[in-house]
Amino acid sequence: MESYNSFNVAKQQILEAARLLNLDKATVDLLITPQLETSFTIPVRMDNGDVKIFQAWRIQYNNARGPAKGGIRFHPEETVDTIRALACWMTWKTAVVDLPLGGAKGGVRCNPKEMSELELERLSRGYVRAITPLLGVDVDVPAPDVYTNPQTMAWMMDEYETIFFKHSPGVFTDKPLQVGGTEGRRDATARGGVICVREACKAYGFDPTKDYAIQGFGNAGQRAALLHQEILGGGKLVAVSDSKAAIYNKNGFNPTELVQHKLKTGSVANFPGSEKIPHEELLQLNVEILYPAALENAIHSENADKIKAKVVCELANGPTTPEADLILFDKGVHVIPDILASAGGVTVSYFEMVQDKTLYFWDEDEVHRRLDKKMYLAYHRVNEAIKEKKTHPRLAAMLVGVARVAQACKLRGWV
């Protein structure tokens, strides 16, 4: 029976990488344990006058390579194990793309869909007040994540600057442009993934102009739909899904019109010319490239052998279980793992930190050029590890990330 506890999965991946890297016990013990976990409550006065208490967390997993970096999630089913796992994966993600950052993640158990704008602002400011000493441009730099956005970051940055009575925009990233945000952040996660697909096609001879499908049509999925054709020079988008529907058209969708339909109606359902299909069927379509951009554990031991895509580019966090990884590897499916494929977002967040620190901002072309170089180097470093160790891509990416973090820990004299 597969374990779907995300942190257990994350630890299993570390142990596998550590074995191949011959890491000593102290180093392994350090890497499978978060450095600092903070659990706290946030009292918020609601619009009806009542005070509601929200459970919240911030976990700084490892800062050997630099300040902790990771998003803050607002979710009704938030758990500490999910945040531990995501903080852990952020540590390897920043290392794989060779950023001078560590990994972190935060969350609040709440239902933002049932809260007003003012209640969300009070909650956001309360989060910062509760852990102010743990944040800072040289300490821990949060960003948006599930159900948080640039406006959330603007509120949080303002609360932080009010407390310290100084300008400090780099303490939060993915802010609006008007308050220290960067060009190129909105599509950075998808752009990074598509750049990896481009390099995979060159390295292994896949054809990017053939069919592609996208599971999950949120921000990353929508951007991938558009950027696939823009960056790769073609391709036919034959299937997409969101929480309400999965749709298919063998002749292909117009990505721009489909994104407009989603934004207008809130779903891909009933897009003109589409055929509704079961969600599970989308994953099993005979396409050249599949982008899982939705839920964790979408590809598991019971459906992995039915995957027909030649390339799986993981824009979601943890969409493939460890057992499924091995099945896909045996089938010859080229998986671009999440800690590589979705690293474009944190890479451009790092660019935002650099620009905020210097107070000099780059144009969009400059951001794209620098992101392309980072993703190109990261993809080919992981590809070298695949060939050197003759292992599946996720383990290869873990080897690159874990080795870099372990080396930093040793140089600091921690182990």
Side-chain angles (χ1 to χ4, degrees):
M1 186 70 182
E2 292 180 67
S3 169
Y4 291 112
N5 180 297
S6 297
F7 191 51
N8 286 341
V9 171
K11 287 193 290 187
Q12 185 178 336
Q13 293 168 346
I14 298 168
L15 293 172
E16 198 171 358
R19 181 178 58 79
L20 290 177
L21 292 168
N22 294 316
L23 296 182
D24 58 85
K25 183 177 183 305
T27 302
V28 174
D29 289 346
L30 181 67
L31 297 184
I32 64 171
T33 310
Q35 280 184 322
L36 180 65
E37 292 191 357
T38 307
S39 174
F40 54 101
T41 53
I42 308 172
V44 175
R45 188 168 299 283
M46 309 302 280
D47 291 345
N48 64 3
D50 293 344
V51 174
K52 190 170 181 179
I53 309 301
F54 293 92
Q55 176 64 53
W57 299 270
R58 184 67 182 172
I59 295 180
Q60 295 161 352
Y61 196 86
N62 188 292
N63 62 6
R65 287 175 52 85
K69 185 85 186 79
I72 297 173
R73 298 154 47 100
F74 287 178
H75 196 281
E77 297 176 3
E78 195 61 272
T79 70
V80 68
D81 266 347
T82 301
I83 298 174
R84 283 187 184 121
L86 293 170
C88 176
W89 286 324
M90 275 301 293
T91 304
W92 321 129
K93 184 182 289 187
T94 56
V96 164
V97 283
D98 204 14
L99 304 177
L101 299 171
K105 192 68 75 173
V108 180
R109 187 179 295 147
C110 66
N111 189 347
K113 293 182 179 179
E114 296 178 350
M115 298 174 68
S116 71
E117 189 84 348
L118 283 174
E119 289 169 342
L120 289 170
E121 179 178 352
R122 293 184 202 116
L123 179 65
S124 302
R125 292 181 182 276
Y127 188 98
V128 173
R129 285 196 300 275
I131 59 165
T132 299
L134 300 178
L135 303 176
V137 292
D138 299 317
V139 183
D140 184 354
V141 180
D145 207 298
V146 175
Y147 294 137
T148 53
N149 55 40
Q151 177 60 72
T152 314
M153 296 302 104
W155 290 327
M156 289 185 166
M157 179 196 70
D158 183 71
E159 189 69 21
Y160 183 90
E161 292 185 342
T162 300
I163 292 169
F164 283 98
F165 203 62
K166 69 175 183 179
H167 193 54
S168 189
V171 70
F172 293 91
T173 60
D174 198 1
K175 305 178 295 297
L177 285 173
Q178 297 86 341
V179 288
T182 181
E183 297 282 359
R185 181 62 184 84
R186 293 286 80 199
D187 69 2
T189 300
R191 182 175 293 273
V194 175
I195 290 169
C196 288
V197 169
R198 181 193 68 197
E199 295 308 310
C201 290
K202 289 179 182 175
Y204 293 95
F206 304 120
D207 185 352
T209 66
K210 290 186 175 179
D211 295 353
Y212 66 106
I214 300 174
Q215 184 231 16
F217 215 56
N219 181 60
Q222 293 171 33
R223 302 287 180 166
L226 300 166
L227 290 171
H228 182 102
Q229 296 183 4
E230 178 185 320
I231 293 176
L232 304 179
K236 189 165 64 178
L237 177 61
V238 295
V240 300
S241 68
D242 59 18
S243 61
K244 296 176 182 172
I247 59 171
Y248 173 77
N249 184 334
K250 67 178 182 180
N251 296 316
F253 297 118
N254 180 313
T256 302
E257 293 177 0
L258 184 54
V259 169
Q260 290 172 347
H261 176 83
K262 166 77 177 183
L263 296 176
K264 184 178 179 183
T265 67
S267 173
V268 299
N270 303 315
F271 183 66
S274 67
E275 169 192 348
K276 191 173 181 180
I277 60 173
H279 279 83
E280 187 71 13
E281 190 175 317
L282 181 144
L283 296 170
Q284 302 167 17
L285 291 172
N286 187 16
V287 295
E288 191 79 353
I289 296 153
L290 171 66
Y291 293 94
L295 302 174
E296 300 165 9
N297 304 318
I299 302 175
H300 45 78
S301 61
E302 294 178 8
N303 66 5
D305 64 345
K306 299 173 185 171
I307 301 293
K308 301 183 184 71
K310 293 179 180 175
V311 179
V312 173
C313 178
E314 297 181 344
L315 296 178
N317 286 316
T320 306
T321 66
E323 292 79 2
D325 257 333
L326 298 177
I327 295 170
L328 295 178
F329 184 56
D330 288 342
K331 282 168 56 75
V333 177
H334 184 72
V335 175
I336 305 174
D338 52 357
I339 62 170
L340 170 63
S342 67
V346 71
T347 301
V348 174
S349 280
Y350 163 66
F351 294 163
E352 183 175 333
M353 292 170 63
V354 172
Q355 294 170 82
D356 282 335
K357 202 157 192 172
T358 60
L359 294 179
Y360 182 79
F361 291 86
W362 310 333
D363 62 28
E364 191 172 52
D365 288 344
E366 180 69 10
V367 172
H368 289 171
R369 187 183 67 77
R370 291 175 183 265
L371 174 62
D372 199 307
K373 183 177 180 181
K374 275 288 186 188
M375 298 307 301
Y376 171 90
L377 291 173
Y379 176 85
H380 287 284
R381 178 65 195 95
V382 171
N383 205 33
E384 288 170 9
I386 292 172
K387 294 174 181 174
E388 288 169 6
K389 298 294 184 180
K390 295 182 172 53
T391 188
H392 59 84
R394 188 177 321 280
L395 181 53
M398 286 293 293
L399 288 170
V400 173
V402 170
R404 286 174 174 167
V405 175
Q407 184 182 34
C409 293
K410 288 185 179 298
L411 288 169
R412 287 177 175 274
W414 290 355
V415 286

